[in-house]
Amino acid sequence: MISEKMKPLVQNNSAIREMFEEGKRLAAIYGRENVYDFSLGNPNVPAPAEVDQAIRAVLDEEESTFVHGYMSNSGYEDVRETIAQSLNRRFGTAFHQGNILMTVGAASGMNVILKTILNPGDQVIAFAPYFLEYGNYVRNYDGELVIVPPDTTDFQPDMEAFEARINEKTKAVIINTPNNPTGVVYSHETLCEIAGILEKKQKELGTAIVLLSDEPYRELAYDGVEVPYVTKYYANTVVCYSYSKSLSLPGERIGYLVIPDELKDSQTVFAAATIANRVLGCVNAPSLMQRVVKRCVDAKTDVAAYDRNRNLLYSSLKEYGFSCIRPQGAFYLFVKSPVEDEKAFCGVCKQHNILVVPGTSFACPGYVRISYCVSYEQIERSLPAFKAVAAYYGLC
Ligand code: PLP
C-alpha cells in the first residue's frame, strides 16, 4: 500500500527505532540511571520561567476565541512584528512583519521554503556532516541533495569542494551554524567566503541561489563566540529559526522563516511560502505558542548548564585519549571513532551502556555524535564507562 517514495524512509527509520528500543532494553536490565543515553537532541534544560508565565498570561488576558482561532497563514501580524523588531535590536537588521513567516518549527520551515523554491531535479547543496533529514526534505519536492565532503581537520566548510559543486541546477545551499553534529560556528570570514563564492557563481551562471540558514542552535554558543547574522552577508538568504532548542520547546513546534526584502522576488516568495505553509497541512504555526513567543521574545535558556556539560565531557574524553574538536555551540560533541567502522565503536559503547549516534547518520562515517543535552549527573556517572571504552581501545 505505501508509496515507493516512502519505502526507503520506512527502512531507514528502523535504525533510530532500534536505538530507542535498545535504550529501553538496557534500562530494564541495568536500571535507567545506569544507562547513558547520549543519542537524542532533546533539551534537558527546562523552558525559561517566562514561558510558563506567558502561557498563563495569554490564557488569562487574551480572548479565548482569538487565542485558539485561525489567523493569517503566515501568523499573527503583531507576533511577526515583535520578532522582526527583536532581530533588528540584536543584529542591526531592518526587518518588518512582512519578512517573518511563523512555522511549525525548523523542520516545517525547511519544508515550506523548499516546497516554495524547488522544481524537480533542482539541486540543494549541504556540507557534511549534516542533519540527515535535509535529504528527506529535499526529496519531498523531487530535488537532489548534493553533499560537500567534510574537512575533518576542523569541520569548517571546504570552499574549493563547495565551489566545484555549484552548477546551473543549484537552487539552494543549506548551512547550519552552530552545527549539528559538530558544534562548529561559522565565523565572519567563513560567511564572507561562502557569500563571495555564491555571488560569483550567480553572476557566472545567471541564476539565483538561495542560502538557506538553518538556525535552531543560534542562541547556544559558548565562550562569547559570535554567531553572525547571515542575511547581512548575502542578499538571497532565507533564515530558518526554531524555538525548539533556544526556549526548550521542541514538542510545541514553533519557529519562523525570515524572508528578507533583499531576496530576489521577496514578496512573491513570501506569498508562495505562506501558501506552502497552508497546503503542506500546517495551515498556520500553533496559535498559543505564537502568542507566548511574543511575550518572551527576549527570554533565554540556561546556556551555562550546557556549557558545564560541554566542559566536563570534552575535557574528560580528551583526557581518556579520544579525539574531537571543542564545540563552540549547539550541544553535541563529534568524536572520532578509534576504529574505522564507527558502528563497531558504537557497539562497544553499548556494551558499556553508552548510547551514541554513528556518524553515518550525518553522512560522516568514522565519527560518532554525543548529545550533551542531558543532566550533569548523567555525564558524571558515564565517565567510568567512557574510560573503560578508551582502555578497551588502548587509548589510556
Ligand atoms: N535542523 C537541525 C540542524 C536540527 O538539529 C533540528 C532538530 O534537532 C531541526 C532542524 C529541527 O528542529 P525543529 O524541532 O525546530 O523542527
Side-chain angles (χ1 to χ4, degrees):
M1 180 61 89
I2 69 169
S3 70
E4 291 307 316
K5 233 172 156 176
M6 276 309 295
K7 281 182 184 165
L9 290 172
V10 173
Q11 220 146 27
N12 293 341
N13 202 38
S14 62
I16 299 161
R17 210 172 38 222
E18 261 168 40
M19 175 131 30
F20 183 67
E21 293 302 329
E22 188 61 11
K24 279 206 310 199
R25 192 184 70 82
L26 292 174
I29 301 171
Y30 300 103
R32 264 174 70 86
E33 68 286 2
N34 299 315
V35 177
Y36 317 116
D37 189 347
F38 295 99
S39 61
L40 291 179
N42 205 10
N44 73 304
V45 171
E50 291 100 310
V51 171
D52 285 357
Q53 285 158 11
I55 293 172
R56 290 194 184 91
V58 169
L59 295 178
D60 287 346
E61 295 166 21
E62 298 185 28
E63 205 205 316
S64 172
T65 50
F66 171 67
V67 172
H68 302 304
Y70 285 126
M71 83 292 303
S72 156
N73 296 136
S74 53
Y76 288 111
E77 286 76 7
D78 61 334
V79 175
R80 291 158 47 208
E81 188 60 34
T82 304
I83 291 170
Q85 293 311 324
S86 164
L87 292 173
N88 296 346
R89 276 195 305 278
R90 292 176 60 201
F91 303 113
T93 46
F95 299 131
H96 53 88
Q97 58 169 277
N99 301 126
I100 311 291
L101 195 159
M102 302 307 294
T103 64
V104 185
S108 162
M110 296 290 284
N111 273 279
V112 165
I113 192 64
L114 290 170
K115 181 168 180 65
T116 303
I117 63 173
L118 288 189
N119 284 310
D122 280 350
Q123 294 185 351
V124 177
I125 296 177
F127 297 89
Y130 64 89
F131 182 54
L132 215 62
E133 292 287 54
Y134 293 157
N136 294 327
Y137 299 164
V138 168
R139 283 187 291 274
N140 279 344
Y141 313 103
D142 298 317
E144 182 194 349
L145 193 75
V146 173
I147 299 163
V148 179
D151 176 351
T152 55
T153 48
D154 55 6
F155 290 106
Q156 290 288 340
D158 177 340
M159 298 297 178
E160 238 176 80
F162 168 46
E163 185 164 351
R165 277 161 182 75
I166 302 174
N167 61 51
E168 61 288 338
K169 285 191 189 164
T170 307
K171 194 65 185 275
V173 175
I174 301 174
I175 57 171
N176 167 225
T177 161
N179 185 264
N180 173 11
T182 63
V184 157
V185 174
Y186 289 4
S187 65
H188 167 78
E189 289 73 22
T190 302
L191 290 174
C192 283
E193 248 186 290
I194 290 175
I197 290 170
L198 288 174
E199 297 284 8
K200 186 177 112 184
K201 284 291 179 182
Q202 283 192 142
K203 218 174 268 168
E204 231 174 79
L205 298 164
T207 57
I209 305 172
V210 174
L211 181 58
L212 182 46
S213 181
D214 180 28
E215 312 193 341
Y217 303 96
R218 162 163 289 282
E219 323 304 340
L220 307 185
Y222 312 108
D223 303 327
V225 71
E226 192 203 347
V227 184
Y229 208 75
V230 182
T231 58
K232 294 164 89 169
Y233 292 81
Y234 179 69
N236 281 333
T237 296
V238 172
V239 173
C240 181
Y241 186 84
S242 164
Y243 292 97
S244 290
K245 322 286 173 169
S246 64
L247 292 183
S248 295
L249 296 173
E252 301 297 352
R253 314 307 305 138
I254 185 76
Y256 59 82
L257 287 172
V258 182
I259 299 175
D261 289 340
E262 293 75 17
L263 180 83
K264 183 171 185 275
D265 303 330
S266 173
Q267 285 188 11
T268 314
V269 172
F270 191 94
T274 301
I275 295 168
N277 202 27
R278 192 188 85 220
V279 302
L280 283 171
C282 305
V283 181
N284 56 252
S287 167
L288 175 59
M289 280 305 126
Q290 289 192 51
R291 306 305 314 157
V292 167
V293 158
K294 182 184 173 187
R295 287 173 184 254
C296 35
V297 73
D298 295 320
K300 288 187 170 52
T301 191
D302 183 10
V303 178
Y306 295 129
D307 194 15
R308 244 176 115 220
N309 289 358
R310 174 184 74 124
N311 288 330
L312 177 62
L313 196 60
Y314 175 78
S315 60
S316 304
L317 293 196
K318 289 292 275 189
E319 186 193 316
Y320 304 155
F322 289 106
S323 166
C324 61
I325 56 155
R326 187 178 168 80
Q328 299 169 289
F331 40 47
Y332 307 107
L333 205 61
F334 206 49
V335 178
K336 190 168 169 39
S337 167
V339 285
E340 204 182 316
D341 177 6
E342 92 277 9
K343 286 186 180 158
F345 174 52
C346 290
V348 171
C349 288
K350 208 158 35 178
Q351 283 165 14
H352 292 79
N353 290 355
I354 298 171
L355 299 179
V356 294
V357 183
T360 313
S361 298
F362 306 93
C364 189
Y367 288 78
V368 299
R369 188 192 76 174
I370 305 179
S371 299
Y372 56 84
C373 47
V374 297
S375 72
Y376 190 76
E377 292 70 32
Q378 175 179 320
I379 297 174
E380 280 182 321
R381 280 198 309 272
S382 72
L383 293 181
F386 275 115
K387 196 168 182 181
V389 173
Y392 174 88
Y393 285 108
L395 302 177
C396 66

